[in-house]
Amino acid sequence: MSTFSISAPSSLASHMMRRDSLSKLQSEMNRASREVATGRSADPYGSLGGRAGRALGLHGEAARLESFLTSNAVLDSKLTASESALGTMREAAQSVLTLAVGNATSPQATAEEMQRAARAAFDRIAAVSNTSHAGRNLFSGTASDAPALTAWSEPGPGGTPPEAAVAAAIGAPPATAAEAATKSAALKTLFQTGYDGTFYGGAVGTQSSAAIDSGRVLEFGVSGEADAFRDVLRGLSMLASTDVAQIGDGAAYQAWMQEAVAALGAGAEGLLSAEIDLGEARNRLDETKLAQQDRLSLLQSDTAALEGVDPYDAATRLTELQARLEASYAVTARLARLSFLDYL
Amino acid sequence: MSITSAFNASRSGLSAAAARAGLTSTNIANSGRASYVRRDMTMVGSSDNQGVTITAIKRDVDASLQARQRQAAALAGFEQGRAEGLALYTRTLGEPGDGSTLPDRVSKLQTSFDLLSSEPADTNAQKAVVRAGEALARSLNESARALTAARADAYEVIGSEISEANTLLGEIERLNERLDGSETGAAATAGLQDERDAALDRLSEIVDIEVRARGARVDVYAGGGAPLIEGREIAPLSYDPGSGVLTAGAVDVTPGRPGGRGFAAGSLGAALTLHDATLPEMGRQLDALASRLVLAFEDADASRSPGAPGFFTDAGAAFSAPDGLAGRIAVNIAVRPEAGGQIRRVRDGMEGVPGNVAETGQILAFVAALETPQSFDPQAGLGTDMSLGEYAATLVGEQAGATARAKAAAEAETATLSAIAVQRSETEGVNVDDELQKLLQIEQSYAANSQVITALTRMMDSLLAAV
């Protein structure tokens, strides 16, 4: 009898091997069915390996982009509202400017209306400057709960109405050109040092800004203390406080009107350039929005590539595993019944 | 040659067949035991060269396969223990996309500050910032608690594994004693050897060992060479939690010591490395994240006086030390209205006076703090210059990934172990069909021998009848 014989695995080992392969197939099937149902890998860290950190980071980036898209849309509507308010204010100033230019050298038929028109424009500009968007004032700087410009006869935050402050600075209408020059200078000083608190009630020396993208901050908006507003209101005050038809002296009249027209002209130009700045800011926001939308869809496809599972692939795997499991069941049952005992 | 000697020969044949039947029935009865080694017998001619006697019960073990199997068992035990111990902690870290992972919480804080910068006066946006900060602090606290619990669990495992290992060492030495006194080739010896092998197999799952035969005894050494059972002396294992040193008798056998003579694998090795190295390192990484959060917000707060806490605090105070900070980090009560604080402070700074309602300077500083790359200690193993969100993502990816890697390694080692076990079973296991065929042959041999005896009896009777 040879000592070398072909040996088979022990009965116990064969049995354990079949049991092991069945339970492995069953757990693989569980995994495949989870992947079919959720569309994502059932063991994300196992399948991602070293890219797990990147996958986790992608979710954060995508969330940030989505929130920027929302907040930038709100910011855009705020800027639109500011832009159209500026347009309205500029038109009000422009109409008085046209009137004044027509009466610049000597009073014409329309001269009597100028004072009324100037007061109306002043009040209109003050009213529009207090436009709010979602409850926040647009032209008060960062004190968006405070009023911007004060109407002609309303008391300002300091208690004095603009009318009274201007009257205090100018007094009676100028009689000579020299008086006109002095009174215009006094008014200029008022609009430089006595502006806040009387004409303007918002925050001083501030600039609105907001984060629009990762690492990018947009500075936007113009507040009622800008030079453009000061000039417009100064010009309007000169016409509103004095009935220029009453200025007897031609030289005084011309000097006064020249100063008013210059102020209104400079102010209207300033308001226009502020409008243009806002338009540019909106353009930048738009570009940012497009870039962010592109980045977001890229991130979403990256995330799908990293964590997602092709549903057709998962379904195919599931079907194949099912077939293998059924075959294994059949084989195990047959082999279990196959024993030498049955033939003895 | 006479009838009497013929009788004796047949009788010896009968008893040999009976003994063989007994052995075969033992084999079949034990075929379901995984640690049972098949018994064979050697038969030689009897002393008068006419009959047959059984000299020894053989129990053939392939020593090299057995050693390989014990190595594979130690590695599988190590990876399995590591995977289970780590999973206790890392399952609290969450999965990509479920919205509750640490990087998700950091990103939520970031987006809530972004939204606040475009609506600084909105109290809902301010509340959202405080809530996001609280959620992040709570996540860090919970992770720190889970880490402590996992470490405590590893400590318990260390205790129970050491006591089991010491019990097994005692049992092996006892079996050594008994095998020393018993005769080779006896049935009882084979049973004792089975028991000793089972104890050694179980021990090799706990720690990696080397087994060397010394006559009928075995000496057991640690994988690195330190003696556990040598001669008649046992070196019991003991663990000093203060210094993290595992000793066998007087020798340091702590896993992971370079050039040491100790263990490198086994479930005890896994629990020790988790308790003393892996989990503390993960804790330090969490603490680094908490530290940089606290410090970055302290630095970004322009209104804060030196020594005062910022948006994130160390249990209410300013930053002191990073150890355990992940468990102590909390949002400053100065911004929580229910604790008497004022929510406007997320816009004005922790000690800021009430400013313009739409002021965004401080808010943008906080936004920048979350965006700017911070420097992290390269010792922590996660990289140096990255933003807080990136660090959190890397941290979770690495720590959860470690568990996934350990699981995959455990599966691979278990597969190797099964393959070796199948290979061993070919030479050492019981194949029931094979034993049944042997039984057929034994039956035939018994029948033939009894036929011979019947024939000899008839011959004796005819001789006696003639007298």
Side-chain angles (χ1 to χ4, degrees):
Chain A
M1 192 58 188
S2 136
T3 49
F4 302 104
S5 56
I6 303 167
S7 45
S10 71
S11 317
L12 182 65
S14 317
H15 178 65
M16 292 306 294
M17 260 167 34
R18 286 195 292 274
R19 271 177 64 185
D20 276 346
S21 67
L22 275 179
S23 46
K24 264 206 200 88
L25 276 173
Q26 277 170 347
S27 57
E28 269 183 63
M29 255 193 77
N30 278 341
R31 201 186 136 147
S33 61
R34 265 181 68 191
E35 289 181 2
V36 165
T38 62
R40 298 174 55 207
S41 172
D43 177 20
Y45 291 111
S47 56
L48 284 171
R51 298 170 301 166
R54 171 149 169 69
L56 288 160
L58 286 179
H59 285 281
E61 267 182 67
R64 206 170 175 214
L65 280 174
E66 278 165 5
S67 114
F68 272 135
L69 284 169
T70 319
S71 65
N72 287 351
V74 170
L75 187 60
D76 191 54
S77 68
K78 208 190 245 185
L79 295 181
T80 315
S82 299
E83 219 183 321
S84 84
L86 273 176
T88 314
M89 289 191 272
R90 185 170 49 83
E91 275 163 25
Q94 191 66 45
S95 67
V96 176
L97 178 61
T98 317
L99 206 54
V101 162
N103 289 286
T105 37
S106 58
Q108 304 298 320
T110 48
E112 285 158 5
E113 291 177 29
M114 260 197 305
Q115 186 177 36
R116 207 170 22 87
R119 282 188 187 177
F122 196 102
D123 287 341
R124 179 114 176 87
I125 289 178
V128 172
S129 80
N130 286 311
T131 314
S132 65
H133 177 84
R136 317 267 173 240
N137 286 342
L138 296 171
F139 295 98
S140 309
T142 58
S144 58
D145 54 343
L149 300 172
T150 326
W152 182 244
S153 324
E154 298 293 322
T160 324
E163 186 176 18
V166 169
I170 300 179
T176 64
E179 249 183 61
T182 324
K183 287 180 193 280
S184 337
L187 193 62
K188 230 185 221 173
T189 315
L190 174 68
F191 271 86
Q192 273 160 8
T193 55
Y195 185 66
D196 303 318
T198 311
F199 295 88
Y200 173 68
V204 175
T206 62
Q207 169 67 62
S208 302
S209 52
I212 57 167
D213 198 2
S214 166
R216 288 183 58 203
V217 170
L218 180 70
E219 287 181 348
F220 61 91
V222 61
S223 77
E225 57 157 355
D227 285 342
F229 284 103
R230 286 182 212 247
D231 287 337
V232 164
L233 292 182
R234 184 161 59 86
L236 288 175
S237 306
M238 291 180 78
L239 298 173
S241 62
T242 319
D243 184 4
V244 293
Q246 306 302 319
I247 298 179
D249 183 31
Y253 179 87
Q254 270 183 12
W256 192 252
M257 286 305 292
Q258 240 177 12
E259 188 56 40
V261 163
L264 273 175
E269 239 182 80
L271 287 180
L272 179 63
S273 87
E275 234 179 294
I276 293 175
D277 283 346
L278 273 175
E280 269 178 30
R282 284 187 60 210
N283 280 342
R284 279 220 301 286
L285 261 186
D286 218 32
E287 283 168 26
T288 310
K289 177 181 93 168
L290 290 174
Q292 283 172 341
Q293 278 169 342
D294 283 344
R295 270 185 10 236
L296 185 61
S297 56
L298 262 180
L299 281 178
Q300 282 165 346
S301 68
D302 273 355
T303 307
L306 279 175
E307 296 172 30
V309 165
D310 178 18
Y312 297 112
D313 181 55
T316 313
R317 254 189 303 131
L318 187 60
T319 317
E320 190 228 346
L321 281 168
Q322 208 180 347
R324 271 169 59 194
L325 192 60
E326 282 170 5
S328 302
Y329 282 145
V331 164
T332 308
R334 279 179 65 183
L335 287 177
R337 283 197 296 269
L338 200 62
S339 167
F340 193 42
L341 282 164
D342 300 332
Y343 296 91
L344 287 175
Chain B
M1 274 297 189
S2 65
I3 293 184
T4 325
S5 58
F7 255 120
N8 288 337
S10 293
R11 250 194 25 239
S12 71
L14 278 179
S15 52
R20 283 176 67 201
L23 207 61
T24 309
S25 65
T26 312
N27 280 343
I28 293 180
N30 283 294
S31 65
R33 260 176 61 199
S35 57
Y36 180 79
V37 176
R38 191 178 65 234
R39 313 278 194 252
D40 280 328
M41 59 174 43
T42 47
M43 292 188 292
V44 295
S46 61
S47 44
D48 56 5
N49 281 331
Q50 287 187 315
V52 64
T53 51
I54 293 172
T55 47
I57 308 286
K58 272 196 318 176
R59 181 185 167 272
D60 268 336
V61 173
D62 185 334
S64 65
L65 267 183
Q66 190 181 47
R68 271 180 62 201
Q69 189 175 13
R70 287 187 178 138
Q71 271 173 8
L75 286 168
F78 180 82
E79 298 293 349
Q80 187 68 29
R82 195 174 158 74
E84 283 169 11
L86 277 177
L88 278 178
Y89 160 60
T90 58
R91 69 173 176 227
T92 62
L93 292 176
E95 287 183 1
D98 68 3
S100 66
T101 61
L102 278 173
D104 287 332
R105 300 272 191 227
V106 174
S107 137
K108 190 92 181 75
L109 182 65
Q110 173 96 71
T111 53
S112 55
F113 267 117
D114 292 337
L115 284 169
L116 185 62
S117 79
S118 65
E119 287 294 335
D122 184 2
T123 41
N124 285 328
Q126 293 166 359
K127 278 187 198 147
V129 166
V130 174
R131 274 200 300 269
E134 285 176 342
L136 176 55
R138 260 201 310 272
S139 272
L140 278 167
N141 296 149
E142 276 165 18
S143 297
R145 264 200 300 275
L147 192 75
T148 315
R151 209 159 166 249
D153 187 82
Y155 185 69
E156 274 182 37
V157 167
I158 292 173
S160 65
E161 300 271 277
I162 287 181
S163 75
E164 195 180 347
N166 287 335
T167 313
L168 285 166
L169 285 173
E171 221 177 282
I172 293 168
E173 179 52 28
R174 230 185 21 257
L175 288 164
N176 269 348
E177 279 292 323
R178 289 176 64 186
L179 279 163
D180 222 8
S182 73
E183 44 172 295
T184 48
T189 314
L192 290 171
Q193 282 171 337
D194 264 356
E195 267 185 67
R196 190 175 59 186
D197 273 349
L200 284 164
D201 286 343
R202 176 72 195 110
L203 185 62
S204 68
E205 285 173 24
I206 300 177
V207 286
D208 52 323
I209 52 173
E210 237 186 83
V211 177
R212 289 189 214 140
R214 183 205 283 263
R217 311 172 70 86
V218 293
D219 286 338
V220 180
Y221 297 89
L228 295 172
I229 299 178
E230 197 177 34
R232 292 173 193 277
E233 293 179 7
I234 309 178
L237 299 171
S238 76
Y239 176 65
D240 174 18
S243 58
V245 170
L246 179 73
T247 48
V251 183
D252 180 353
V253 290
T254 321
R257 300 281 162 102
R261 297 166 57 202
F263 303 116
S267 52
L268 177 61
L272 278 167
T273 44
L274 277 180
H275 183 265
D276 292 327
T278 319
L279 288 174
E281 194 190 333
M282 290 186 175
R284 278 195 294 276
Q285 288 169 348
L286 271 182
D287 288 337
L289 177 61
S291 309
R292 288 255 53 101
L293 260 179
V294 171
L295 286 170
F297 274 86
E298 275 184 10
D299 292 338
D301 193 334
S303 70
R304 187 185 72 96
S305 48
F311 181 67
F312 284 110
T313 65
D314 179 346
F319 176 81
S320 53
D323 302 316
L325 185 54
R328 301 193 303 267
I329 189 171
V331 170
N332 200 332
I333 53 170
V335 295
R336 289 166 52 202
E338 68 271 13
Q342 293 171 329
I343 209 148
R344 59 158 185 92
R345 292 204 166 111
V346 294
R347 182 195 61 218
D348 299 327
M350 294 304 117
E351 293 177 16
V353 293
N356 289 329
V357 292
E359 185 61 52
T360 50
Q362 182 61 70
I363 297 170
L364 290 172
F366 286 142
V367 167
L370 284 166
E371 277 175 355
T372 327
Q374 311 276 336
S375 66
F376 292 92
D377 185 7
Q379 289 283 331
L382 293 177
T384 49
D385 288 310
M386 48 178 84
S387 72
L388 285 161
E390 278 168 16
Y391 184 79
T394 316
L395 184 148
V396 172
E398 273 299 310
Q399 293 185 355
T403 311
R405 281 195 297 275
K407 268 202 203 112
E411 273 174 27
E413 293 299 338
T414 314
T416 315
L417 190 58
S418 316
I420 298 177
V422 167
Q423 231 187 323
R424 271 188 77 186
S425 79
E426 285 180 16
T427 44
E428 300 169 16
V430 175
N431 188 313
V432 173
D433 291 343
D434 202 40
E435 300 297 317
L436 289 171
Q437 287 172 43
K438 279 191 217 162
L439 204 54
L440 276 181
Q441 195 251 327
I442 294 167
E443 245 183 299
Q444 268 186 353
S445 151
Y446 198 86
N449 278 308
S450 38
Q451 276 290 61
V452 169
I453 290 179
T454 314
L456 289 172
T457 315
R458 278 203 305 271
M459 284 161 66
M460 289 289 286
D461 283 344
S462 62
L463 185 63
L464 286 169
V467 168

